[in-house]
Amino acid sequence: MTPLPITKVLVIGYVWPEPHSSAASGHVMQILETFLQQGWDITFSSPAGPGEHKADLTELGIREVPIELNNSSFDAFVSELAPDIVLFDQFMMEEQFGWRVEKHCPDALRVLETSDLQSLRNARHQRLKERLKASDDANDFNELFAPALREEFELMADTDLAKREIAALYRCDLNLMISEVEIELLIEQFGLPQQLLHWCPLMVEPLTTASPAFEDRAHFLSIGNFRHAPNWDAVLWMKTTIWPLIRAQLPEAQLHIYGAYTPPKATALHNAAQGFHVMNWAEDALQVMSAARVCLAPLRFGAGIKGKIVDAMICGTPSVTTPIGAEAMHASHPWPGAVTCTAQEFATCAVQLYKDEIQWRTAQSQGQALLMDRYQRAIHGPALIEKLLYCQQHLPQLRKNNFTGSMLRHHAHKSTQYMAQWIEAKNQKKPPQ
């Protein structure tokens, strides 16, 4: 019996994965591990330089091949590789390389991993900036957290970023969406066909060890990559407004803030006398999360779902967050901690969770139930593989059904191709340095 050919996958990353630095990279690693479990042959490429905390993909059996922007060397590379599936990590990679993949590997399934809708996150950031300009009240953000999907659409629709991002979604055969709210927004407001979207949230394994007990934990914790603007904004809100309210009720309280790529402006906020500790990067995020009693995630804007909160649930650590932090994460389940809209409520709920062991244990058990219901790798991994195989088997018809995507590829890829070829020709004429 002739063995079935091994599926070849090319992943084109905006950056090389750093799973200990960001949830987005963690999600990419979960997808790669799902592919490896199928015995698929995987090549990971990126035009970016390696980051400080880059994962060693070669240890997992994944080839690492650097690539260049606006360079026809990619054409020869992808033609020789002849992948069955090409996964673009973030829409900018589809913009840069999608036309080359289509030209040289037309039968390859083209998939976009979004992590979150960047145009939604950017629109919410602009709304926060306008709110802060209009009012110096750093406490009440009820209106900021309350827009309907139509209002979100109105904020996004005229932006260049949304037009670029939505066009990339249409041009791909399948888009992996981490947030059900974003799926609803894309279908109901932007009119994307549901067949183009697949819900693929963060995927976790069941817990194998008991987490530390209430009495064995101490301090509040906040964690997140400082290069991610929502995380930096959250730190500023804690420093100026939320943390003083917590300390007024718990004078000995300490907040430990961890994050990759800590800039000097964040280090400057460190103040041991105020219990405000900027700790830099955590080599093991789950270890520091398990040692903390309460996780704080006061996010005033953002998109997708939050890796820090999934980590908190894994570690049995209750969390206090905002409607932005909780968005698309818990469906009908009770939140494992508290969701608040004002700094005062945030501080009050954080202190109550910190002091009340019964409330804390209830929140911990709610987090475990939520994890098991919505984030199991054993459920989402096979569902992803099934969806990819279905799309491969029905690819010609799926592309016919997606006329808008075909039209966008016809026009956009031509202009992108000519621009890339012009840049390459220009670069070749530059005298050597």
Side-chain angles (χ1 to χ4, degrees), residues 219 239 243 247 250-256 266-279:
H219 313 315
K239 175 69 174 181
W243 187 243
R247 285 277 285 192
L250 290 176
E252 302 302 316
Q254 292 187 39
L255 171 60
H256 294 172
T267 305
L269 299 180
H270 178 88
N271 189 320
Q274 297 175 354
F276 198 90
H277 300 269
V278 179
M279 311 292 286

Side-chain angles (χ1 to χ4, degrees), residues 14 42 51 61 81 86 100 108 136 140 143 153 159 168 184 200 213 221 231 239 280 294 319 346 355 406 424:
Y14 181 68
I42 307 171
L81 183 64
V86 177
R100 295 185 185 273
D136 59 2
D140 190 347
E143 290 187 9
F153 171 79
T159 66
E184 185 179 357
C200 183
L221 176 135
N231 294 335
K239 175 69 174 181
N280 209 324
V294 176
S319 60
F346 194 103
K355 295 169 62 177
S406 176
E424 182 178 9

Side-chain angles (χ1 to χ4, degrees), residues 136-171:
D136 59 2
D137 177 13
N139 176 50
D140 190 347
F141 290 90
N142 273 286
E143 290 187 9
L144 186 76
F145 298 138
L149 288 180
R150 185 64 192 179
E151 293 178 65
E152 302 280 31
F153 171 79
E154 296 287 348
L155 284 170
M156 300 166 64
D158 290 333
T159 66
D160 289 343
L161 186 59
K163 292 170 184 175
R164 290 171 56 200
E165 188 168 29
I166 303 303
L169 295 174
Y170 267 112
R171 287 194 297 264

